[in-house]
């Protein structure tokens, strides 16, 4: 089982993701957070395999949050999930330590593939972004 913590500030999006990901028999959402501070707290309390992290959060977000999470929980794979598809921003998140990046416009099977890939120690980028990355 792949234990996932979901960090998303929009309640409807967060609940929809939980429901959608529940269709994958090997993925379990074990915790949720609505902002960067809560993400820092929950990742120390719940041992998870993957942190599914929205790029834009209230308070700490983006590269700074990735770096802080890596400092306190280096074994946690971080998969970014964002509306943002700007290659420069995607590259910044990867450089900060994200193990992958999926756009919110991706199909569910792409997100599930990304979660499985980073949980297994791999790297994953939404196929729509690959041609534009360095």
């Amino acid at each position: 089982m792949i234990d996932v913590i979901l960090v998303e500030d929009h309640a409807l999006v967060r609940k929809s993701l939980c429901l959608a990901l529940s269709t994958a028999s090997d993925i379990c959402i074990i915790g949720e957070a609505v902002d960067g501070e809560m993400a820092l707290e929950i990742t120390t309390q719940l041992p998870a395999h993957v942190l599914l992290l929205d790029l834009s959060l209230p308070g700490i977000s983006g590269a700074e949050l990735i770096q802080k999470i890596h400092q306190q929980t280096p074994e946690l794979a971080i998969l970014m999930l964002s509306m943002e598809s700007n290659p420069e921003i995607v590259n910044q998140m990867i450089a900060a330590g994200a193990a992958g990046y999926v756009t919110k416009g991706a199909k569910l099977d792409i997100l599930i593939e990304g979660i499985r890939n980073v949980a297994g120690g791999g790297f994953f980028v939404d196929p729509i972004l690959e041609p534009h990355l360095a």
Side-chain angles (χ1 to χ4, degrees), residues 73-126:
T73 318
E75 70 281 1
L76 183 61
I78 299 173
L79 179 62
M80 301 303 295
L81 181 65
S82 178
M83 292 289 296
E84 184 60 63
S85 60
N86 179 326
E88 185 177 316
I89 292 175
V90 175
N91 283 323
Q92 287 174 357
M93 297 307 108
I94 292 166
Y101 196 104
V102 176
T103 62
K104 288 184 177 176
K107 293 182 179 181
L108 179 59
D109 62 331
I110 297 294
L111 178 57
I112 291 171
E113 180 183 353
I115 291 170
R116 289 175 177 154
N117 198 303
V118 301
F123 176 79
F124 186 86
V125 174
D126 190 327

Side-chain angles (χ1 to χ4, degrees), residues 7-10 33-40 53-66 68-69 80:
V7 184
E8 166 62 56
D9 58 324
H10 295 97
V34 299
D35 60 30
E37 289 78 13
M38 187 182 263
L40 286 168
L53 180 62
D54 183 19
L55 173 63
S56 300
L57 297 167
I60 306 168
S61 67
E64 181 183 2
L65 182 56
I66 292 169
K68 287 184 179 211
I69 288 170
M80 301 303 295

